[in-house]
Structures are given as structure tokens and as C-alpha cells.
Amino acid sequence: MSIQITWRGHGTFSLDFAGTAVVVDPFFAGNNPAAKIGVESVHADFILQTHGHGDHIADTVPLATRTGATVICVPEIGGWLSKKGVENIHGMNTGGGWNFPFGRVKLTPALHSSGLPDGSYGGNPIGFVVTSESKHIYIAGDTALFSDMSLIGSVGLDVAILPIGDNYTMGPGDAIHAINLLKPKVVIPSHYSTWPVIEVDAHAWAKLVEKETDAKPVVLGVDETFTL
Ligand code: NI
Ligand code: MN
């Protein structure tokens, strides 16, 4: 069995756990200038929602209502999605874990904000650690650097997906510091170059990762897959 991680552009990923499709932060073509595929051609069994900003939740309602996917999110976002017709929601909160059919999901803190597109309160932003087939994958979500990343890394991370775009989240330099706290085997950058304000040369950053950390950088192109 293998785990496949496909970047859809910006903070959106499609994860495949032995045939179970898990979509992180649905934001597809039509809304997401970096994405190549539209939400109508995406399959999901589960959706991991890190926070309520439009560049993460724009396509959650259409994806969840069409596929019947279960959205894993904080209760404030769950309540908002439910009012918009999403039926399957699994509410969780920071520090909590739950065993889903594809693996265990634990919610981590994230240093960011989380208002919903219509101004509704979205609770706290979060990240995820997904444990499946004894592999640990950390999806940081939108966050600043914080020192408790060393605690998140203490489980022994196989992959860390980190924002590097700066301006809205940590930038390339703080992401290097984050890698040295998290100590993942592999790091995948996200949340960069979608718009000019978060333009980053990810390949130049990858060279820095190789020089200053023990992690292996994997820079994915849009719709490119890393197999774990
Ligand atoms: Ni955000
Ligand atoms: Mn964002």
C-alpha cells in the first residue's frame, strides 16, 4: 500500500490512502488561479479543512454536497457548512484525534486567523497530523512559525507540508526554521506563487533546505504526485 500526495496548487492537496480520497482545503480552477482542474472533476471521500478563508474553503460546499464526503473541521466551520447544505461533518478541535477509516487525524494549532467568506466566525485555524500505515504526515495549514512545532515533530514526521509564500503565512526563511523544529524526512512547500504577493522561487528554497536542514525537499508541480 502507498500514500499518494498530489498538489492542486496553492494550499490544496489530494491525498490517496489506499483508494480513499482525502482532499485538503478545496480551492480549484475557476477560483484558484494556480489550479488546473475544476472541482467538478474531483472525487473526495473526506475533506480536511484547515480554516475558513476563501482560498481554502471556496469549493468545499460544492465538493462535499456532490460527493457526500465527510468534512473534518472545527465545529464553527462545521455549523457554517451545515447551513449551506453539507450533510456529513465530523467536528474536532485542537489537540484532539480520531481514527477514521483511512488513518488517525489529529488537530494541531496554527498561528493565523479563520474568518469565513461571509464574515461569519470560523473558530481557530488548525493544522493536521494524519497517521496512516505507520506514516505521519503533517499538514501545517496557514501558519506562522511557532516553537511548539518541535512537539508536533516529536512523533517522527515522514512528510511535512508547509506554507512558504510569506505575506499571509510564514515565508521561506521561517519555513527553514520550522523544518529544523519539525525534523520531517520530506518537506513539500505550499501556499506560494498563486499571486504576485506570495511569489517565491521554490527551487531556490529547496536548495536552502538541502543546505540548512536534514529534510529532503520535494517541490511538486501542479497535479504532480509524491508517493510515500
Ligand atoms: Ni488563510
Ligand atoms: Mn491561505
Side-chain angles (χ1 to χ4, degrees):
M1 291 297 182
S2 66
I3 299 167
Q4 292 180 312
I5 300 173
T6 304
W7 191 41
R8 299 303 187 186
H10 199 56
T12 303
F13 287 83
S14 295
L15 312 180
D16 184 292
F17 296 92
T20 299
V22 179
V23 175
V24 179
D25 287 351
F27 183 50
F28 290 97
N31 289 311
N32 180 348
K36 290 183 180 164
I37 61 168
V39 67
E40 64 284 349
S41 53
V42 176
H43 177 65
D45 298 303
F46 291 88
I47 294 169
L48 298 176
Q49 192 71 51
T50 64
H51 66 297
H53 290 159
D55 59 320
H56 298 258
I57 208 167
D59 287 312
T60 300
V61 172
L63 182 59
T65 50
R66 178 175 53 80
T67 61
T70 296
V71 185
I72 301 168
C73 59
V74 295
E76 292 84 354
I77 290 179
W80 186 84
L81 290 172
S82 145
K83 280 191 222 148
K84 299 203 175 291
V86 175
E87 288 182 354
N88 300 316
I89 291 160
H90 185 107
M92 296 180 70
N93 220 323
T94 319
W98 183 256
N99 295 324
F100 292 91
F102 62 93
R104 182 169 178 81
V105 174
K106 188 174 175 186
L107 270 58
T108 66
L111 269 183
H112 193 64
S113 59
S114 186
L116 286 153
D118 62 3
S120 299
Y121 175 62
N124 288 321
I126 49 123
F128 295 98
V129 174
V130 181
T131 303
S132 183
E133 301 173 26
S134 306
K135 306 280 191 199
H136 301 287
I137 301 166
Y138 173 48
I139 301 153
D142 282 12
T143 187
L145 171 67
F146 55 94
S147 61
D148 283 355
M149 283 178 171
S150 59
L151 286 176
I152 294 168
S154 65
V155 293
L157 297 173
D158 294 279
V159 177
I161 297 175
L162 302 181
I164 67 163
D166 218 343
N167 195 76
Y168 303 114
T169 66
M170 61 183 170
D174 279 358
I176 295 284
H177 201 144
I179 294 166
N180 284 324
L181 294 173
L182 292 161
K183 302 189 191 308
K185 288 187 185 135
V186 166
V187 62
I188 298 173
S190 73
H191 212 276
Y192 68 93
S193 297
T194 319
W195 301 283
V197 74
I198 55 173
E199 195 73 45
V200 168
D201 181 343
H203 291 282
W205 176 79
K207 289 204 178 80
L208 265 185
V209 172
E210 282 168 350
K211 198 171 138 214
E212 296 184 16
T213 81
D214 294 324
K216 180 190 171 206
V218 173
V219 177
L220 294 175
V222 172
D223 295 339
E224 208 179 333
T225 299
F226 172 74
T227 300
L228 180 62

